[in-house]
Structure formats: structure tokens, C-alpha cells
Amino acid sequence: MDATSAPHLIPPEMPQYGEANHIFEMMQNLLEQLLIYQPQDPIPFMIEHLSRDNDNVPKIVILGPPASGKTTIAMWLCKHLNSNLLTMENLIEKEFSHLASEAKNHYQKFKKVPSTLLVRLIHERLKDEDYIKRGWILDGIPETREQALMIQTLGIMPRHVIVLSAPDTVLIERNVGKRIDPRTGEIYHTTFDWPPEPEIQDRLAMPEGISEMETAQKLLEYHRNIVRILPCYPKILKVISSDQPCVDVFYQALTYVQTNHRSNAPFTPRVLLCGPVGSGKSLQAALLAQKYGLVNVPDSIIMKVLTHRLKEQDCVQKGWVLHGFPRDLDQAHLLDSLGHKPNRVFFLNVPLDSVIERLTLRRTDPVTGERYHLMCKPPPTMEIQARLLQNPKDAEEQVKLKMDLFYRNSAELEEFYVDAITINADQDPYTVFEYIESGIINPLPKKIF
């Protein structure tokens, strides 16, 4: 564009298309790949990368000390996300791979694989078509800072890193109680998972390397390494306590890996606040408009004027917050058909009793115009209280009718706005605002991969 012709009139369709199709993130990812691999001919490289369409597949690293349950969590995530699990064991077991054979021989002799060989093996495996399409989960790798940096140098960048933690005393107790069935390979525990069958109990054996002294030594080595690994993943790291039921650990991990990280893309908020009368929509809209410079669009504007208003440049450039409209599914379809699609929708939920308390106790001083609330902001004198008046629309019967009308339509609106965020608005308004603000500045959580 010619800078001399500024200011430029930006059609509202442009930012909507860019946000809906993640154009900025796509270009950023392409640039990262170009800088990492530096292909001789960038155009075919970019075409091939785009054709893979795998920018959102799982790329997860799970770390943790011995007996923290990282392998179990990795396996559950792998099954839930339909991804590929990479462990030291299955890396070195690949058939017809020279690197895998070399690593297996080294592991059998020394119980470890050199970092350079291990990273080359990971790099080789991640080139497989299945790993490109379905992503991967690294279990317990990298083990050292050296490995982490080597992996990054090859352009292998996880999107989520989970570190499990627990007190050493808990981990030692877990580890020393492990027993294995040599016939089936099934793992049991003397305290937490002891088999009821006497014949299985009799043949259980203690695995090698799990004595208290050996476990303590492994924990010491882990602690030395993990503090140097963590700075390699400053913005994609989540620490989860594994000193809790395994199912709870899994759901915390699953929630995290299904959450998008903050994007550097320019973002123009188009916010829709839905909620019954008395839910605080107007206050929240005013707070958003004040803090972020959004254009506050009240519900009293009719459709034709509203459409014209949303197309003006301040709305296109700064964004907008709309409250009290649409009220039903037909209005939502009409708003959508005119090209005004909100990118954040919030439903403010308040129980009927709380709404009645909020509205029916409102009063106005006819002399000064001052507004009061008999519970939250009572009048200062009995003289003022005696002359206060209630607006007819705040009568309990009217409030109940409006609440009933809203909830008759809200179910269809919630189905229409499938990515809507529901918020408990029956709390301090500034707490509600913090939840709304968090929902705006953070990406919407992914339902599934």
C-alpha cells in the first residue's frame, strides 16, 4: 500500500479472514521453518510444508523423576490424542535402521545411549510420515541440557512441555514397592496395586535397579539435570504435581496440551456478552471499552444502525463489544449473515435469586437523580429513603418475565456460538472482568486435536 494515501480504509472482512484462517501464525511458522532448514529453493519447501497441514498436531515432551508416572501419563495422552509415543525402548527397537541397531548395541552394553546418537535417532524417527501426520510425545527425553539444545538445533520444537514432580520420599516408596510378573510383564505394587491371586503373588519379582539406594542415586542425577533443562522451554512449560491420583494428573496434562499458547498475531477483539437482565453485561462492556479502547455498542441500537456502526473504521481497527444483542437465534443468524462475527462470546450466568436481589432492591431519588440499592448502597438518611422510587421494570414480576424469556432463547444461542465461554457472574464484578479479560487475551482452548 502507498503510505501517502493513508489513512487506509480496512474492510471488516480482511481482519476476520486473517483471524479465522490463522494467516499470521501460518506466515510466522513458515518463516521459522525457512530459518531453521534454510532450503536452497524456498518455494517448493513452503508448498510441501503447507501441504502437510500438521501445524496443530501434538508435539509434547513429558519429563519427570523415576516413579513419577510419566510413562503412564505419556501412554494415556498418546491414546487419547491418537499420536505416537517415543521412548528410549521403542527408539532403539526399530527394525532395518542402522542408527537403531547401533543404539541398541550401545544400550545393551552400557545401559545408556550417547546423546549425539540418541538425537540423530529421534530426528530420523520424526521424519516418518506417521509422525508428521499424527505428531509425537517424547517420554523422558531430553535427559540433559546437552540433549535439549541438540534437539532444538535440529529444528525439533515441542509445543508443550510437562514436568511431573513429587517429594523424593514419595518417589522412593513408589519405586521400591514395584514388582513384575515375569510371565506377563504386568507391573504391580506392594502397597498400591497388589494382585489378589496367590499364584500371581508367588511369582512376582523385584525389577533390577529399584532399591532405595539406587533410586536415590537416580533422583540425585535427575535433579542435577532438570534445573538445567527447564530454561530451554521458558514459555511452554507446565509443572504438575504427581503426588495425587494418576487420573487427576492425566486430566491436568490433557487440559494443558489442548490449550493454545498466546499468539503474536494482531488481534482485534469482537466481543459478544450474553446474559439475563441484571447479569452485569453493561458494566463488563464498559470496563472492556475503558481498558482496551473497544467501541461499546449498547443494545438499544436497531439492526440497520448497528450494521452501519460496526462497519466504521474505529470498530474495524479497535474492535467492539456488543451486549444485549442478539437476543435470539434469528438475530444471531442475521448478525452473522451481515458479516459481523464475534471472535469471543461470553455467557454470564446468574441465579434467579441473585438477579431478583440485584434489581428489585434498586431505587432512584426523584429529587437528585441519585441511584441507590437497599442492600449494597443504602440511602444515607431516612428522609431520602422515604422518597425513593422503584422503576416499574424492576418489579419482581417483570424481572422474572425477562429472565424466563432470556433462558428460553439462550440454549439455541449457546448451540449457535459453539466456542462460547460460560462465566459465573454471581460474584464481584471485577473478578468477573478478570475472567472475561483472560478469555479475550488467551487463545480459545482446543476441543480435540
Side-chain angles (χ1 to χ4, degrees):
M1 290 184 179
D2 183 3
T4 60
S5 65
H8 303 295
L9 298 181
I10 305 171
E13 294 81 8
M14 285 181 61
Q16 290 182 25
Y17 179 84
E19 291 168 13
N21 294 279
H22 308 288
I23 300 300
F24 183 93
E25 292 87 350
M26 186 189 304
M27 298 304 296
Q28 183 181 36
N29 190 268
L30 277 175
L31 181 59
E32 288 175 354
Q33 297 299 309
L34 287 171
L35 293 175
I36 289 171
Y37 293 104
Q38 301 179 17
Q40 292 291 329
D41 194 345
I43 301 300
F45 175 86
M46 289 191 289
I47 292 174
E48 181 187 359
H49 176 79
L50 290 173
S51 66
R52 291 176 178 174
D53 191 26
N54 70 336
D55 285 342
N56 293 314
V57 300
K59 294 182 179 179
I60 303 167
V61 166
I62 299 185
L63 304 175
S68 60
K70 59 182 179 294
T71 298
T72 299
I73 300 301
M75 291 172 61
W76 289 1
L77 284 176
C78 186
K79 183 177 180 180
H80 190 89
L81 303 175
N82 189 31
S83 190
N84 295 287
L85 181 62
L86 274 176
T87 66
M88 182 70 74
E89 289 73 20
N90 65 28
L91 274 169
I92 64 178
E93 290 297 334
K94 184 178 181 183
E95 297 181 5
F96 312 116
S97 168
H98 172 71
L99 285 176
S101 299
E102 184 181 349
K104 186 174 184 178
N105 292 334
H106 205 283
Y107 187 80
Q108 289 174 342
K109 290 181 182 178
F110 306 103
K111 296 301 179 184
K112 62 186 304 183
V113 177
S115 294
T116 304
L117 181 57
L118 176 63
V119 172
R120 287 171 59 202
L121 194 56
I122 294 172
H123 192 227
E124 176 189 65
R125 185 66 63 88
L126 296 187
K127 290 181 180 178
D128 287 357
E129 188 67 23
D130 192 43
Y131 287 79
I132 293 173
K133 287 183 177 179
R134 298 197 294 126
W136 44 266
I137 300 174
L138 272 175
D139 173 19
I141 304 171
E143 296 177 327
T144 65
R145 179 177 175 82
E146 177 190 24
Q147 291 179 6
L149 295 177
M150 290 172 67
I151 288 172
Q152 288 180 343
T153 302
L154 291 174
I156 302 171
M157 303 295 294
R159 292 196 180 92
H160 299 88
V161 177
I162 295 171
V163 178
L164 304 182
S165 68
D168 284 358
T169 52
V170 172
L171 297 170
I172 290 173
E173 180 186 1
R174 284 185 184 178
N175 218 32
V176 298
K178 283 182 182 177
R179 296 294 184 269
I180 188 168
D181 185 342
R183 184 176 301 174
T184 64
E186 195 76 22
I187 296 177
Y188 297 92
H189 196 279
T190 55
T191 303
F192 309 115
D193 185 23
W194 192 243
E197 299 86 352
E199 62 273 17
I200 297 180
Q201 296 176 11
D202 293 340
R203 66 173 182 254
L204 292 183
M206 178 183 289
E208 293 182 3
I210 67 165
S211 68
E212 185 171 340
M213 185 63 69
E214 290 169 307
T215 303
Q217 185 63 38
K218 290 177 182 178
L219 286 170
L220 181 61
E221 183 179 0
Y222 169 81
H223 291 311
R224 285 173 179 166
N225 285 316
I226 194 65
V227 294
R228 301 182 67 240
I229 294 175
L230 299 187
C232 297
Y233 307 109
K235 296 182 179 181
I236 58 173
L237 179 72
K238 182 174 181 62
V239 178
I240 299 176
S241 170
S242 61
D243 189 15
Q244 55 182 321
C246 199
V247 173
D248 294 343
V249 178
F250 167 69
Y251 279 110
Q252 290 179 45
L254 180 63
T255 300
Y256 176 62
V257 301
Q258 290 182 324
T259 301
N260 290 317
H261 298 299
R262 290 279 295 275
S263 170
N264 294 321
F267 181 66
T268 305
R270 299 186 301 277
V271 183
L272 182 60
L273 299 178
C274 299
V277 59
S279 60
K281 300 185 298 294
S282 299
L283 174 59
Q284 297 303 324
L287 292 173
L288 287 171
Q290 180 182 32
K291 181 165 184 177
Y292 292 102
L294 307 182
V295 179
N296 188 359
V297 187
D299 63 346
S300 58
I301 303 179
I302 60 176
M303 194 67 209
K304 185 175 180 181
V305 180
L306 175 63
T307 300
H308 177 75
R309 184 69 185 91
L310 295 182
K311 286 184 177 179
E312 293 187 8
Q313 283 302 297
D314 58 347
C315 285
V316 175
Q317 293 174 349
K318 297 178 181 179
W320 44 261
V321 53
L322 181 62
H323 53 99
F325 187 94
R327 292 188 175 92
D328 55 41
L329 185 60
D330 290 339
Q331 292 180 348
H333 277 297
L334 182 57
L335 188 69
D336 186 76
S337 67
L338 294 171
H340 303 302
K341 300 182 180 182
N343 48 24
R344 293 293 187 276
V345 179
F346 299 93
F347 281 87
L348 307 183
N349 279 354
V350 182
L352 175 61
D353 291 346
S354 296
V355 171
I356 290 175
E357 181 183 288
R358 288 183 183 186
L359 300 186
T360 60
L361 299 182
R362 295 194 301 195
R363 299 291 186 273
T364 303
D365 186 342
V367 175
T368 64
E370 185 74 20
R371 295 181 177 181
Y372 296 96
H373 191 280
L374 298 183
M375 180 175 292
C376 304
K377 185 188 174 184
T381 66
M382 294 298 294
E383 179 186 356
I384 295 176
Q385 181 167 341
R387 65 176 186 245
L388 294 182
L389 298 177
Q390 183 187 45
N391 191 315
K393 69 179 184 180
D394 289 340
E396 184 171 336
E397 296 78 13
Q398 293 297 315
V399 172
K400 287 182 176 179
L401 284 173
K402 290 179 181 179
M403 286 284 288
D404 181 61
L405 179 62
F406 171 79
Y407 282 114
R408 270 189 285 167
N409 294 317
S410 64
E412 291 182 332
L413 284 174
E414 289 180 18
E415 287 184 10
F416 184 76
Y417 295 113
V418 292
D419 292 324
I421 299 171
T422 301
I423 292 178
N424 174 22
D426 190 20
Q427 50 187 327
D428 177 78
Y430 293 97
T431 302
V432 176
F433 176 71
E434 288 178 4
Y435 281 113
I436 294 175
E437 185 179 30
S438 175
I440 292 174
I441 63 177
N442 291 316
L444 290 172
K446 285 180 280 191
K447 306 292 185 185
I448 56 172
F449 276 102

PDB file of all heavy atoms in Angstrom, residues 295-316:
ATOM      1  N   VAL A 295     -15.002  -0.212  21.133  1.00  0.00           N
ATOM      2  CA  VAL A 295     -16.212   0.593  20.949  1.00  0.00           C
ATOM      3  C   VAL A 295     -17.375  -0.119  21.632  1.00  0.00           C
ATOM      4  O   VAL A 295     -17.700  -1.256  21.290  1.00  0.00           O
ATOM      5  CB  VAL A 295     -16.500   0.807  19.452  1.00  0.00           C
ATOM      6  CG1 VAL A 295     -17.778   1.617  19.280  1.00  0.00           C
ATOM      7  CG2 VAL A 295     -15.325   1.511  18.782  1.00  0.00           C
ATOM      8  N   ASN A 296     -17.987   0.551  22.628  1.00  0.00           N
ATOM      9  CA  ASN A 296     -19.090  -0.037  23.388  1.00  0.00           C
ATOM     10  C   ASN A 296     -20.381   0.184  22.605  1.00  0.00           C
ATOM     11  O   ASN A 296     -20.796   1.310  22.374  1.00  0.00           O
ATOM     12  CB  ASN A 296     -19.168   0.621  24.766  1.00  0.00           C
ATOM     13  CG  ASN A 296     -20.151  -0.074  25.683  1.00  0.00           C
ATOM     14  OD1 ASN A 296     -20.800  -1.040  25.286  1.00  0.00           O
ATOM     15  ND2 ASN A 296     -20.281   0.412  26.897  1.00  0.00           N
ATOM     16  N   VAL A 297     -21.003  -0.929  22.178  1.00  0.00           N
ATOM     17  CA  VAL A 297     -22.228  -0.856  21.360  1.00  0.00           C
ATOM     18  C   VAL A 297     -23.395  -1.355  22.190  1.00  0.00           C
ATOM     19  O   VAL A 297     -23.537  -2.559  22.387  1.00  0.00           O
ATOM     20  CB  VAL A 297     -22.085  -1.707  20.084  1.00  0.00           C
ATOM     21  CG1 VAL A 297     -23.289  -1.486  19.157  1.00  0.00           C
ATOM     22  CG2 VAL A 297     -20.792  -1.385  19.358  1.00  0.00           C
ATOM     23  N   PRO A 298     -24.254  -0.451  22.687  1.00  0.00           N
ATOM     24  CA  PRO A 298     -25.370  -0.897  23.542  1.00  0.00           C
ATOM     25  C   PRO A 298     -26.466  -1.569  22.751  1.00  0.00           C
ATOM     26  O   PRO A 298     -26.506  -1.527  21.535  1.00  0.00           O
ATOM     27  CB  PRO A 298     -25.865   0.421  24.165  1.00  0.00           C
ATOM     28  CG  PRO A 298     -25.481   1.473  23.184  1.00  0.00           C
ATOM     29  CD  PRO A 298     -24.195   1.017  22.580  1.00  0.00           C
ATOM     30  N   ASP A 299     -27.389  -2.178  23.495  1.00  0.00           N
ATOM     31  CA  ASP A 299     -28.420  -2.992  22.860  1.00  0.00           C
ATOM     32  C   ASP A 299     -29.581  -2.178  22.301  1.00  0.00           C
ATOM     33  O   ASP A 299     -30.470  -2.727  21.666  1.00  0.00           O
ATOM     34  CB  ASP A 299     -28.968  -4.029  23.853  1.00  0.00           C
ATOM     35  CG  ASP A 299     -29.647  -3.364  25.047  1.00  0.00           C
ATOM     36  OD1 ASP A 299     -29.447  -2.149  25.213  1.00  0.00           O
ATOM     37  OD2 ASP A 299     -30.363  -4.056  25.771  1.00  0.00           O
ATOM     38  N   SER A 300     -29.576  -0.865  22.508  1.00  0.00           N
ATOM     39  CA  SER A 300     -30.717  -0.059  22.068  1.00  0.00           C
ATOM     40  C   SER A 300     -30.633   0.318  20.592  1.00  0.00           C
ATOM     41  O   SER A 300     -31.572   0.888  20.044  1.00  0.00           O
ATOM     42  CB  SER A 300     -30.797   1.218  22.910  1.00  0.00           C
ATOM     43  OG  SER A 300     -29.582   1.947  22.796  1.00  0.00           O
ATOM     44  N   ILE A 301     -29.510  -0.007  19.936  1.00  0.00           N
ATOM     45  CA  ILE A 301     -29.353   0.351  18.525  1.00  0.00           C
ATOM     46  C   ILE A 301     -30.042  -0.704  17.670  1.00  0.00           C
ATOM     47  O   ILE A 301     -29.783  -1.896  17.816  1.00  0.00           O
ATOM     48  CB  ILE A 301     -27.861   0.458  18.150  1.00  0.00           C
ATOM     49  CG1 ILE A 301     -27.171   1.486  19.052  1.00  0.00           C
ATOM     50  CG2 ILE A 301     -27.692   0.835  16.698  1.00  0.00           C
ATOM     51  CD1 ILE A 301     -25.706   1.653  18.772  1.00  0.00           C
ATOM     52  N   ILE A 302     -30.875  -0.256  16.746  1.00  0.00           N
ATOM     53  CA  ILE A 302     -31.578  -1.207  15.890  1.00  0.00           C
ATOM     54  C   ILE A 302     -30.620  -1.793  14.868  1.00  0.00           C
ATOM     55  O   ILE A 302     -29.518  -1.290  14.641  1.00  0.00           O
ATOM     56  CB  ILE A 302     -32.777  -0.533  15.195  1.00  0.00           C
ATOM     57  CG1 ILE A 302     -32.306   0.637  14.323  1.00  0.00           C
ATOM     58  CG2 ILE A 302     -33.800  -0.075  16.205  1.00  0.00           C
ATOM     59  CD1 ILE A 302     -33.425   1.279  13.535  1.00  0.00           C
ATOM     60  N   MET A 303     -31.052  -2.851  14.176  1.00  0.00           N
ATOM     61  CA  MET A 303     -30.156  -3.640  13.331  1.00  0.00           C
ATOM     62  C   MET A 303     -29.494  -2.825  12.221  1.00  0.00           C
ATOM     63  O   MET A 303     -28.304  -2.942  11.968  1.00  0.00           O
ATOM     64  CB  MET A 303     -30.937  -4.813  12.724  1.00  0.00           C
ATOM     65  CG  MET A 303     -30.048  -5.871  12.102  1.00  0.00           C
ATOM     66  SD  MET A 303     -29.084  -6.706  13.366  1.00  0.00           S
ATOM     67  CE  MET A 303     -27.638  -7.148  12.441  1.00  0.00           C
ATOM     68  N   LYS A 304     -30.261  -1.992  11.547  1.00  0.00           N
ATOM     69  CA  LYS A 304     -29.696  -1.231  10.426  1.00  0.00           C
ATOM     70  C   LYS A 304     -28.612  -0.283  10.897  1.00  0.00           C
ATOM     71  O   LYS A 304     -27.527  -0.186  10.299  1.00  0.00           O
ATOM     72  CB  LYS A 304     -30.811  -0.452   9.713  1.00  0.00           C
ATOM     73  CG  LYS A 304     -30.349   0.268   8.460  1.00  0.00           C
ATOM     74  CD  LYS A 304     -31.541   0.912   7.749  1.00  0.00           C
ATOM     75  CE  LYS A 304     -31.077   1.639   6.489  1.00  0.00           C
ATOM     76  NZ  LYS A 304     -32.220   2.289   5.782  1.00  0.00           N
ATOM     77  N   VAL A 305     -28.890   0.420  11.985  1.00  0.00           N
ATOM     78  CA  VAL A 305     -27.900   1.352  12.536  1.00  0.00           C
ATOM     79  C   VAL A 305     -26.709   0.582  13.094  1.00  0.00           C
ATOM     80  O   VAL A 305     -25.558   0.993  12.952  1.00  0.00           O
ATOM     81  CB  VAL A 305     -28.545   2.232  13.620  1.00  0.00           C
ATOM     82  CG1 VAL A 305     -27.527   3.199  14.203  1.00  0.00           C
ATOM     83  CG2 VAL A 305     -29.730   2.994  13.041  1.00  0.00           C
ATOM     84  N   LEU A 306     -26.985  -0.566  13.727  1.00  0.00           N
ATOM     85  CA  LEU A 306     -25.911  -1.386  14.291  1.00  0.00           C
ATOM     86  C   LEU A 306     -24.952  -1.849  13.199  1.00  0.00           C
ATOM     87  O   LEU A 306     -23.736  -1.775  13.345  1.00  0.00           O
ATOM     88  CB  LEU A 306     -26.518  -2.593  15.008  1.00  0.00           C
ATOM     89  CG  LEU A 306     -25.531  -3.632  15.549  1.00  0.00           C
ATOM     90  CD1 LEU A 306     -24.652  -3.019  16.616  1.00  0.00           C
ATOM     91  CD2 LEU A 306     -26.269  -4.838  16.105  1.00  0.00           C
ATOM     92  N   THR A 307     -25.508  -2.335  12.067  1.00  0.00           N
ATOM     93  CA  THR A 307     -24.670  -2.793  10.962  1.00  0.00           C
ATOM     94  C   THR A 307     -23.784  -1.665  10.448  1.00  0.00           C
ATOM     95  O   THR A 307     -22.587  -1.853  10.207  1.00  0.00           O
ATOM     96  CB  THR A 307     -25.559  -3.320   9.816  1.00  0.00           C
ATOM     97  OG1 THR A 307     -26.344  -4.392  10.312  1.00  0.00           O
ATOM     98  CG2 THR A 307     -24.711  -3.816   8.657  1.00  0.00           C
ATOM     99  N   HIS A 308     -24.376  -0.481  10.275  1.00  0.00           N
ATOM    100  CA  HIS A 308     -23.598   0.674   9.815  1.00  0.00           C
ATOM    101  C   HIS A 308     -22.498   1.020  10.823  1.00  0.00           C
ATOM    102  O   HIS A 308     -21.358   1.327  10.439  1.00  0.00           O
ATOM    103  CB  HIS A 308     -24.530   1.874   9.618  1.00  0.00           C
ATOM    104  CG  HIS A 308     -23.809   3.130   9.213  1.00  0.00           C
ATOM    105  ND1 HIS A 308     -23.311   3.322   7.941  1.00  0.00           N
ATOM    106  CD2 HIS A 308     -23.484   4.240   9.939  1.00  0.00           C
ATOM    107  CE1 HIS A 308     -22.715   4.512   7.884  1.00  0.00           C
ATOM    108  NE2 HIS A 308     -22.819   5.078   9.080  1.00  0.00           N
ATOM    109  N   ARG A 309     -22.830   0.942  12.110  1.00  0.00           N
ATOM    110  CA  ARG A 309     -21.854   1.313  13.156  1.00  0.00           C
ATOM    111  C   ARG A 309     -20.677   0.350  13.187  1.00  0.00           C
ATOM    112  O   ARG A 309     -19.522   0.741  13.328  1.00  0.00           O
ATOM    113  CB  ARG A 309     -22.549   1.320  14.520  1.00  0.00           C
ATOM    114  CG  ARG A 309     -21.649   1.781  15.676  1.00  0.00           C
ATOM    115  CD  ARG A 309     -21.335   3.255  15.540  1.00  0.00           C
ATOM    116  NE  ARG A 309     -20.391   3.706  16.552  1.00  0.00           N
ATOM    117  CZ  ARG A 309     -19.071   3.714  16.403  1.00  0.00           C
ATOM    118  NH1 ARG A 309     -18.542   3.256  15.275  1.00  0.00           N
ATOM    119  NH2 ARG A 309     -18.283   4.148  17.344  1.00  0.00           N
ATOM    120  N   LEU A 310     -20.938  -0.953  13.047  1.00  0.00           N
ATOM    121  CA  LEU A 310     -19.855  -1.944  13.133  1.00  0.00           C
ATOM    122  C   LEU A 310     -18.920  -1.898  11.935  1.00  0.00           C
ATOM    123  O   LEU A 310     -17.822  -2.447  11.985  1.00  0.00           O
ATOM    124  CB  LEU A 310     -20.448  -3.347  13.287  1.00  0.00           C
ATOM    125  CG  LEU A 310     -21.228  -3.617  14.573  1.00  0.00           C
ATOM    126  CD1 LEU A 310     -21.707  -5.053  14.614  1.00  0.00           C
ATOM    127  CD2 LEU A 310     -20.395  -3.303  15.797  1.00  0.00           C
ATOM    128  N   LYS A 311     -19.371  -1.269  10.837  1.00  0.00           N
ATOM    129  CA  LYS A 311     -18.521  -1.160   9.656  1.00  0.00           C
ATOM    130  C   LYS A 311     -17.616   0.061   9.695  1.00  0.00           C
ATOM    131  O   LYS A 311     -16.732   0.206   8.850  1.00  0.00           O
ATOM    132  CB  LYS A 311     -19.383  -1.103   8.394  1.00  0.00           C
ATOM    133  CG  LYS A 311     -20.001  -2.433   8.003  1.00  0.00           C
ATOM    134  CD  LYS A 311     -20.762  -2.320   6.693  1.00  0.00           C
ATOM    135  CE  LYS A 311     -21.306  -3.681   6.266  1.00  0.00           C
ATOM    136  NZ  LYS A 311     -22.080  -3.593   4.993  1.00  0.00           N
ATOM    137  N   GLU A 312     -17.837   0.957  10.651  1.00  0.00           N
ATOM    138  CA  GLU A 312     -16.997   2.144  10.743  1.00  0.00           C
ATOM    139  C   GLU A 312     -15.582   1.770  11.172  1.00  0.00           C
ATOM    140  O   GLU A 312     -15.363   0.769  11.850  1.00  0.00           O
ATOM    141  CB  GLU A 312     -17.622   3.154  11.703  1.00  0.00           C
ATOM    142  CG  GLU A 312     -18.933   3.743  11.162  1.00  0.00           C
ATOM    143  CD  GLU A 312     -19.469   4.861  12.031  1.00  0.00           C
ATOM    144  OE1 GLU A 312     -18.753   5.291  12.958  1.00  0.00           O
ATOM    145  OE2 GLU A 312     -20.599   5.308  11.784  1.00  0.00           O
ATOM    146  N   GLN A 313     -14.624   2.629  10.789  1.00  0.00           N
ATOM    147  CA  GLN A 313     -13.214   2.264  10.937  1.00  0.00           C
ATOM    148  C   GLN A 313     -12.772   2.081  12.385  1.00  0.00           C
ATOM    149  O   GLN A 313     -11.891   1.277  12.671  1.00  0.00           O
ATOM    150  CB  GLN A 313     -12.330   3.320  10.255  1.00  0.00           C
ATOM    151  CG  GLN A 313     -12.300   3.196   8.745  1.00  0.00           C
ATOM    152  CD  GLN A 313     -11.816   1.824   8.304  1.00  0.00           C
ATOM    153  OE1 GLN A 313     -10.680   1.451   8.565  1.00  0.00           O
ATOM    154  NE2 GLN A 313     -12.685   1.053   7.647  1.00  0.00           N
ATOM    155  N   ASP A 314     -13.356   2.818  13.329  1.00  0.00           N
ATOM    156  CA  ASP A 314     -12.928   2.628  14.711  1.00  0.00           C
ATOM    157  C   ASP A 314     -13.293   1.225  15.202  1.00  0.00           C
ATOM    158  O   ASP A 314     -12.534   0.588  15.948  1.00  0.00           O
ATOM    159  CB  ASP A 314     -13.509   3.703  15.635  1.00  0.00           C
ATOM    160  CG  ASP A 314     -15.035   3.741  15.608  1.00  0.00           C
ATOM    161  OD1 ASP A 314     -15.631   3.122  14.703  1.00  0.00           O
ATOM    162  OD2 ASP A 314     -15.617   4.392  16.492  1.00  0.00           O
ATOM    163  N   CYS A 315     -14.449   0.701  14.756  1.00  0.00           N
ATOM    164  CA  CYS A 315     -14.834  -0.668  15.130  1.00  0.00           C
ATOM    165  C   CYS A 315     -13.926  -1.696  14.452  1.00  0.00           C
ATOM    166  O   CYS A 315     -13.536  -2.696  15.058  1.00  0.00           O
ATOM    167  CB  CYS A 315     -16.284  -0.941  14.745  1.00  0.00           C
ATOM    168  SG  CYS A 315     -17.500  -0.156  15.818  1.00  0.00           S
ATOM    169  N   VAL A 316     -13.599  -1.453  13.168  1.00  0.00           N
ATOM    170  CA  VAL A 316     -12.749  -2.392  12.433  1.00  0.00           C
ATOM    171  C   VAL A 316     -11.346  -2.426  13.014  1.00  0.00           C
ATOM    172  O   VAL A 316     -10.732  -3.494  13.163  1.00  0.00           O
ATOM    173  CB  VAL A 316     -12.703  -2.023  10.937  1.00  0.00           C
ATOM    174  CG1 VAL A 316     -11.729  -2.912  10.183  1.00  0.00           C
ATOM    175  CG2 VAL A 316     -14.092  -2.133  10.325  1.00  0.00           C
TER     176      VAL A 316
END
